[in-house]
Amino acid sequence: MLCTPEKYPNLAGINWPADLRELPRTSLEAVATELRQFLIESTSQCGGHFSAGLGTVELTVALHYLFDTPSDKIIWDVGHQAYPHKVLTGRKEALISIRQTKGLHPFPSLFESEYDAFGVGHSSTSISAALGMAIVAKEKGDDRRFVAVIGDGAMTAGMAFEALNHAADVDANLIVILNDNDMSISENVGGLNNYLAKVLSGKFYSGIKEGGKKVLQNMPTISEWAHRVEEHMKGMVLPGTLFEELGFNYIGPVDGHNLPALLATIQNIKALKGPQLLHVVTRKGKGFEPAEKDPIKYHAVPVFDPAEANLPTSVKKPTYSNIFGQWLCDMAAKDKRLMGITPAMREGSDLVAFSKAFPERYFDVGIAEQHAVTVSAGMACEGAKPVCAIYGSFLQRGYDQLIHDVALQNLDVLFAIDRGGLVGGDGATHHGAFDISYLRCVPDLIMMTPSDEQECRLMLSTGFNYEGPAAVRYPRGCGTGVEVSNSLDTIEIGKAVTRREGKETVFLVFGSLLSTALQVAEEIDATVVDMRFVKPLDEAMLKSVAAAYKNIVTLEENAIAGGAGSAVNEYFNAQRIAKIVLNLGIPDRFIEHGEPADLFEICGLDKAGILDSVKTFFECDESL
């Protein structure tokens, strides 16, 4: 038990928000202090998302204190910032299991707690979800409150503004809290801004504002003049004119770490009707100095010692992301047409070196995957060679643009798809389980699945030199550790390679599971073919193996449904080749979070699972 009364005298007694609401307001700052320390202690022992939650401690305390959760709903955008919420809603002692196999979900989840009002993982969904809830409540005459807490980064997505635009139209009782942790505006936070936030949310100001509208509504010229004066006066000291124009009552900015100011402001907002937007300024990593200095580094952490100045480091093999990052720099030095685009994943996709070496050709478009794809298409129209670096699960959000704006026009865009397959602790929202399925059906697009780091580099060069849309899909983390050259050589498009010769059984492997297939093949003396291309398939190879082998097994780190194995089945059927094929991949269900090795075992994609599936399916004896 981490949260003992001796160590955390206030927090230890809070098991549910109702317990928090029993406390006097004078005790809440002590609760916040203990909550922040508890987060540091627990997350350092299990790893997980770190700096975002430290920045939302006071806000979380204020929300659960003032709103009647879970009847009132708090919808957390993305969920990195929701660790304090989990602690206050019955999951305090379980926090040490977060992101681990059978442990707490990494993000809010409908299946985990009634206090998690909406399941999240990808950004910019909170306002839409909260608005949907508020609309239904309005129709029912229900006066419950719905609060969307969205980070400033998530406001770069068009979906957030679509929801803001709609909210004003339906005039639902929705509260949007913009959690702004951009340090560049920290100088705007202070006594004056807290005072303005309280005034603008108070009944006196609201009463005068609404009363004035009624008096002046029959005097259009004066009414318009008064409205302009009000907006210009507020615009001089507040950045809220945009939100006011969208139909929200803008309040803020307020210091998100000043608990009395937060409580007073949110208390006032609760009494207001219609769409409200509270601008809260916080500091990511608040209370832990290394995280305050480098919030990106401490966004997600391994197990570490809080007493140490730095996170632990170890010598590791280069990751696939590292291979991509180095290739991008090398190819950019050779070809000045190359443009690098990322939707807010500079570090994750390893574009750091490229952004420094070629700043004029580096474009971080924010959390805006649709825009990332179409701006790449626009660049290609003007003769550039755009490389769009994006996670497999994030590209799902830009699928229409990929089809309509890139593929339909046969534009020269290379998609470097990171995190293909099972990703571990981030779970179902981040597994790249579907990209092979949703990409292989797109006409004119070639898709490659590297089986090791050197293959990844070769395929990136191949896709870059291909005239048309291309995708290279690679997994998270490290590969087999093969030596990687610094060449920019290419491979023959649609050409598979046999990696091992065997007897009755052949494995057709698409990507990252090649090394596991080779291990299984040693046990049963099977042939292993590295298919390399999901599209186009090596049809000559498929004809050859159909004629030569009794048992055919396809293997991929993607959903079986519609995946690369399905492509093989379709080819055999179209050619009237009567073969029974065993398709192995991710089963037809959402795979939860956990340690990667555990997830592969759960999916039957570890050595033992594959071997068992082959023997069972083909009714083979032990001599196979």
Side-chain angles (χ1 to χ4, degrees), residues 199-235:
V199 170
L200 292 172
S201 65
K203 292 181 180 178
F204 177 74
Y205 173 82
S206 299
I208 290 177
K209 181 178 180 180
E210 294 305 313
K213 285 181 179 178
K214 291 177 182 178
V215 171
L216 297 173
Q217 63 184 356
N218 295 320
M219 305 168 65
T221 304
I222 298 177
S223 176
E224 177 63 21
W225 173 81
H227 175 72
R228 289 182 180 179
V229 169
E230 176 195 19
E231 292 307 314
H232 283 298
M233 288 296 291
K234 290 174 69 175

Side-chain angles (χ1 to χ4, degrees), residues 314-333:
S314 58
V315 178
K316 293 182 178 180
K317 297 179 290 186
T319 64
Y320 279 97
S321 300
N322 298 151
I323 300 301
F324 165 72
Q326 184 59 58
W327 170 85
L328 191 67
C329 290
D330 294 344
M331 185 60 79

Side-chain angles (χ1 to χ4, degrees), residues 249-270:
N249 180 40
Y250 172 86
I251 299 153
V254 61
D255 183 349
H257 302 300
N258 185 328
L259 194 48
L262 274 179
L263 291 165
T265 304
I266 295 174
Q267 183 72 56
N268 285 336
I269 291 173
K270 279 184 64 180

Side-chain angles (χ1 to χ4, degrees), residues 125-141:
T125 61
S126 60
I127 305 175
S128 297
L131 178 58
M133 298 174 193
I135 289 171
V136 175
K138 181 182 178 182
E139 289 298 311
K140 292 180 177 179

